[in-house]
Amino acid sequence: MYKSGLNMLRCALRSTAPWKCDSFIWTQTSLCYKSRSFAVSSQLGRKSTRGHALTPVRYYCQSAEEVLNPQIKQTAASPETSELSDKAERTPFYTHLQNCSCPADVLDTVKRFPASQQHLSSIFSRMWESSKRMTDEQRRCELQLMFEHPVFEEVCERTVADAWRMRSDDLAYSLLAIINLGVSQNTRVVQTLLRVTQERLNQFDIRSLSVLASCIREMENSRNAQALREALRLLLKDRIPEIQNVVVLQSMMRAVGKNSPILLKKELANKALSLADGFSPPNTQYMFSSLAAMGLNFKPLLDVCSRKIAENVHEFPFNRLLSVLKSCHELHYRNYTLFSSVSEYVANTFEMWSNRQVILFLVSFENLLFRPVVLLDAFAERIIQKSESLTLKDLLSVLKVFSLLNHDLKEKKTQFLASVTMVLESYLPKMSPTDLLKAIYCLGLLEHFPQTPLEKLLEKDTLEQLLEKGRQSEKIQRWLHTLDLCLRLDKPQLTSVPDLHISVPAPAVTANQEVLSAVRSIVGNDAIQDSVLEQSIYFIDCVITLPHQTEETCDLSAKDSGSPQCAQRIAVVCAPHTSFCFGTTHPRASLVIKLRHLEKLGYKPVLIPVLELNSKTEEEKIEMLHKLIFPAQKSTATQEILNNSQKTE
């Protein structure tokens, strides 16, 4: 195939700019890190440089922002740590290295005991491992000491000089540790390791490739990192059958990313499916995030993992359950059994969860269009009893979830609305106009209009700010338009109702022709008017105009069926599955207020779930529509089916 990893890479990415071993960034920092300069003879590539001038080289850089707010990613501990225990029994250096508790201790040990080329990988890995167990404040201080330590520069220099002689696994572990320690990717030490890794990629075994894959995930999309990612994708095509470890496979899946070929993604997913019988609970959770990292909704694998999580939901901590739900949202994957098991588990162990944790669960469920009834009821009860515990951010999230999911609290609704209104009024002095509009919009979906917050929202200065923002934000404009409709149709008790003069574009939808055809076969052509638009926003697929007695007698041939004195208007509204809570026909979000306002306008709204209708035959569609439009009557089609069934018997 390819004689070397470099040839393979050149074939894959001919447009990639050549790597420059002298490329690095000089970073000015307020912490006054000193760039130590020293001469380096280029022994990197087996060529002598006696004829070249010596150049000062900086082997690492650390900006003030990086030190004050280090983004050190904590990933699973590498096998390098466990190897230290084995090596410690044979080499005194590893014994001392294993006893180091911080990066500075590691560097002090290197200063006291001579380190060979084989030790470099363990030195960086130990520094990274020791820093992972620290608090953020302690880690920041320790990393600052590490970068200022004179031995750190010497270790980086040795790494650059000896990189060409390192084993494949040492290269992978060194690169992973250096990146996670916060060393800039534009420095000589990182770029050298990347260059050597590219050239020797064909020599990497599966374990080293897994470590390298973890490293690539942490790196920015520099040219060398992107080239390495492309080379890894090419190499994986031939190496997938060798992978028998789930963790290794998941590292590969995360590394290939969303831009990899769909065939490679499916090969990795099929390999994971073949190993599914041996999945542990953590494996199932990480499989969701691995598929999300690839951007692949592979339903057979997701279904298997969902079943395993649902069966062992009590074994998963909060952050892992939340990660699963977020991955489902990214992948547009829905599984009613999975969502129900998670929500029921949280509801059954409700006392152990904080407000913030419950709210994060509820927000994730709302993003998935799932209505966790028992959990919503339990949290509403907590809010009624301890409403003062809600922060402003919590309050806005609660209002959003309960309103968009259209959750009916039945006899508890009045108490719940009174509690959240009291909290809302307490935060009025601190709220921005946008937050106040969002809160009133959500309460409007619940048909609740508290007077004090509403009057504050309708103040001249507040409205002017919102109208100005509405010209730039489609969401704010939609909220204002909904508020305007509520003021005119729901008629809340106010001293004066301003005219907001808000207009939005008419919805670009057309009437469902299958529904129209079926409705015409039920009531005839004369009684139907299709594609009706109310209030410039509420689209109705068709309006059936019938005399009042028709609902009882079903005399569709009456001559006065169109008479306004005795007419009844039935608004047939076709709704996609996204307008309902997942797994139900419970309306949600804007559909709720649409149905309520159509009733205010004198219609009897009939909701048609299009997804359910599309799965039926013509006769079943007519029967279903007849039951929805005339629920008190049995359709002729139903009676004929019963009669035919009796004759057959």
Side-chain angles (χ1 to χ4, degrees):
M1 190 177 168
Y2 297 98
K3 292 185 178 180
S4 71
L6 185 59
N7 289 337
M8 177 180 65
L9 182 63
R10 285 171 177 163
C11 182
L13 293 178
R14 297 186 182 277
S15 61
T16 303
W19 177 80
K20 297 180 180 180
C21 63
D22 287 330
S23 67
F24 59 89
I25 290 180
W26 291 90
T27 308
Q28 300 295 326
T29 79
S30 59
L31 297 177
C32 300
Y33 285 124
K34 296 180 180 179
S35 301
R36 301 175 180 84
S37 300
F38 45 87
V40 179
S41 78
S42 170
Q43 310 233 339
L44 301 180
R46 311 182 190 90
K47 290 185 179 181
S48 174
T49 57
R50 280 177 287 184
H52 294 271
L54 299 177
T55 18
V57 177
R58 185 176 183 186
Y59 283 85
Y60 64 93
C61 68
Q62 182 76 353
S63 68
E65 183 181 358
E66 288 171 337
V67 173
L68 293 174
N69 186 22
Q71 299 296 321
I72 306 302
K73 308 255 183 171
Q74 296 192 26
T75 56
S78 67
E80 184 80 10
T81 305
S82 59
E83 286 184 0
L84 285 178
S85 302
D86 301 332
K87 292 178 179 179
E89 299 177 0
R90 304 190 302 269
T91 311
F93 177 79
Y94 288 109
T95 303
H96 294 288
L97 198 62
Q98 193 176 14
N99 294 329
C100 296
S101 58
C102 65
D105 286 350
V106 175
L107 295 172
D108 289 339
T109 300
V110 174
K111 187 176 182 179
R112 285 182 292 137
F113 300 95
S116 66
Q117 161 205 324
Q118 289 82 7
H119 297 151
L120 294 173
S121 171
S122 298
I123 290 170
F124 286 116
S125 295
R126 185 58 192 163
M127 286 194 288
W128 173 42
E129 292 291 338
S130 62
S131 67
K132 289 202 303 182
R133 297 177 176 85
M134 300 175 182
T135 62
D136 292 341
E137 180 68 23
Q138 185 182 5
R139 187 184 302 115
R140 186 174 69 249
C141 295
E142 290 293 342
L143 290 178
Q144 181 175 343
L145 292 173
M146 180 192 75
F147 282 106
E148 292 176 341
H149 202 292
V151 178
F152 183 73
E153 188 167 349
E154 296 174 11
V155 174
C156 290
E157 179 185 0
R158 285 285 306 276
T159 303
V160 171
D162 294 339
W164 304 93
R165 292 185 289 273
M166 282 186 179
R167 297 179 308 171
S168 299
D169 57 341
D170 287 338
L171 280 171
Y173 282 120
S174 297
L175 187 58
L176 178 63
I178 288 173
I179 292 297
N180 281 284
L181 283 170
V183 178
S184 172
Q185 294 179 32
N186 296 308
T187 53
R188 166 90 49 104
V189 64
V190 174
Q191 294 297 320
T192 301
L193 290 173
L194 281 173
R195 169 77 179 273
V196 177
T197 300
Q198 289 173 12
E199 290 208 14
R200 292 168 48 185
L201 194 59
N202 273 338
Q203 302 172 20
F204 278 50
D205 58 15
I206 290 298
R207 177 178 169 183
S208 300
L209 286 175
S210 172
V211 177
L212 185 61
S214 300
C215 182
I216 290 175
R217 283 203 321 275
E218 307 297 331
M219 299 184 68
E220 301 169 1
N221 281 328
S222 64
R223 287 182 177 179
N224 279 338
Q226 186 61 28
L228 191 58
R229 182 179 284 108
E230 292 294 336
L232 183 62
R233 290 170 182 167
L234 286 174
L235 193 61
L236 273 180
K237 292 181 179 179
D238 298 325
R239 305 289 286 274
I240 289 176
E242 300 176 28
I243 303 174
Q244 298 300 324
N245 184 285
V246 178
V247 177
V248 170
L249 179 62
Q250 289 172 337
S251 295
M252 302 296 186
M253 294 169 73
R254 288 187 177 92
V256 298
K258 296 180 180 179
N259 296 327
S260 55
I262 187 65
L263 291 178
L264 176 60
K265 294 179 185 180
K266 289 186 175 181
E267 284 182 28
L268 289 166
N270 278 312
K271 181 65 179 181
L273 186 60
S274 69
L275 302 174
D277 291 340
F279 281 4
S280 65
N283 291 153
T284 57
Q285 180 259 314
Y286 284 120
M287 191 55 69
F288 273 89
S289 56
S290 299
L291 288 170
M294 289 199 303
L296 179 67
N297 183 337
F298 193 68
K299 195 172 184 303
L301 182 57
L302 289 169
D303 287 345
V304 170
C305 293
S306 296
R307 186 176 66 252
K308 288 179 177 286
I309 292 175
E311 293 171 354
N312 304 281
V313 67
H314 57 280
E315 297 184 20
F316 293 86
F318 163 76
N319 59 338
R320 291 191 175 182
L321 289 176
L322 195 65
S323 174
V324 169
L325 297 178
K326 288 182 177 179
S327 297
C328 288
H329 177 59
E330 290 179 35
L331 294 169
H332 303 288
Y333 172 73
R334 306 285 187 270
N335 188 297
Y336 194 86
T337 302
L338 172 64
F339 299 165
S340 298
S341 63
V342 174
S343 65
E344 288 170 8
Y345 167 65
V346 177
N348 293 336
T349 56
F350 188 70
E351 296 303 321
M352 66 182 280
W353 307 101
S354 66
N355 280 354
R356 192 64 192 144
Q357 288 175 319
V358 175
I359 288 172
L360 287 173
F361 274 127
L362 291 177
V363 169
S364 297
F365 281 131
E366 193 281 319
N367 289 335
L368 294 164
L369 314 185
F370 177 73
R371 184 169 71 112
V373 177
V374 180
L375 183 57
L376 286 166
D377 288 340
F379 193 50
E381 186 64 35
R382 179 187 286 183
I383 292 173
I384 292 171
Q385 295 175 1
K386 300 178 182 179
S387 59
E388 67 281 356
S389 63
L390 292 177
T391 65
L392 176 57
K393 188 176 180 180
D394 292 343
L395 174 66
L396 294 174
S397 298
V398 167
L399 291 176
K400 175 185 175 183
V401 169
F402 277 80
S403 61
L404 293 184
L405 291 178
N406 185 30
H407 185 58
D408 185 11
L409 290 166
K410 300 180 174 63
E411 67 277 0
K412 296 285 185 180
K413 181 177 180 179
T414 304
Q415 290 177 275
F416 173 78
L417 291 175
S419 298
V420 294
T421 300
M422 183 181 67
V423 179
L424 176 62
E425 291 176 351
S426 69
Y427 285 118
L428 281 180
K430 304 178 183 178
M431 294 182 73
S432 66
T434 304
D435 285 343
L436 181 57
L437 174 62
K438 179 181 179 181
I440 295 299
Y441 168 78
C442 293
L443 288 171
L445 292 179
L446 296 170
E447 202 173 1
H448 180 62
F449 304 95
Q451 187 170 0
T452 303
L454 188 55
E455 288 180 347
K456 181 173 176 59
L457 177 65
L458 296 177
E459 289 177 357
K460 184 178 179 182
D461 293 342
T462 306
L463 274 180
E464 286 179 354
Q465 292 182 47
L466 290 171
L467 289 170
E468 181 64 30
K469 290 182 178 179
R471 298 186 183 97
Q472 304 169 0
S473 171
E474 184 179 340
K475 179 185 289 185
I476 292 178
Q477 187 181 40
R478 178 167 50 84
W479 288 347
L480 286 169
H481 184 256
T482 303
L483 174 64
D484 186 40
L485 288 170
C486 290
L487 293 176
R488 290 189 286 106
L489 299 178
D490 292 307
K491 296 181 171 58
Q493 294 181 353
L494 291 171
T495 53
S496 63
V497 178
D499 190 352
L500 301 181
H501 301 290
I502 300 294
S503 60
V504 294
V509 292
T510 56
N512 188 307
Q513 296 302 316
E514 291 187 4
V515 172
L516 282 177
S517 175
V519 172
R520 285 192 177 101
S521 67
I522 297 173
V523 300
N525 292 324
D526 296 337
I528 290 181
Q529 180 184 4
D530 65 279
S531 304
V532 177
L533 191 65
E534 280 286 355
Q535 303 297 311
S536 303
I537 189 66
Y538 296 139
F539 180 81
I540 305 172
D541 288 78
C542 67
V543 175
I544 305 173
T545 306
L546 300 173
H548 277 301
Q549 69 268 22
T550 300
E551 190 172 0
E552 297 177 1
T553 62
C554 199
D555 184 11
L556 303 179
S557 61
K559 293 181 180 180
D560 60 347
S561 60
S563 174
Q565 289 80 9
C566 63
Q568 180 190 29
R569 295 187 300 171
I570 300 175
V572 178
V573 178
C574 298
H577 68 281
T578 53
S579 296
F580 302 96
C581 293
F582 172 63
T584 69
T585 54
H586 184 78
R588 61 176 297 278
S590 57
L591 180 60
V592 177
I593 206 166
K594 175 179 179 178
L595 297 177
R596 188 174 82 225
H597 284 170
L598 287 179
E599 286 185 357
K600 301 278 186 183
L601 292 167
Y603 292 96
K604 175 191 172 185
V606 174
L607 195 55
I608 310 297
V610 174
L611 187 64
E612 182 181 347
L613 191 72
N614 289 341
S615 63
K616 298 183 180 296
T617 63
E618 288 300 319
E619 292 79 6
E620 291 172 338
K621 287 178 182 178
I622 294 173
E623 180 184 354
M624 175 181 169
L625 289 171
H626 197 289
K627 287 181 179 179
L628 290 172
I629 297 170
F630 306 110
Q633 299 179 5
K634 288 185 178 180
S635 68
T636 306
T638 305
Q639 195 62 45
E640 288 179 359
I641 291 172
L642 291 174
N643 291 338
N644 291 336
S645 176
Q646 291 173 356
K647 289 179 181 178
T648 303
E649 290 177 1

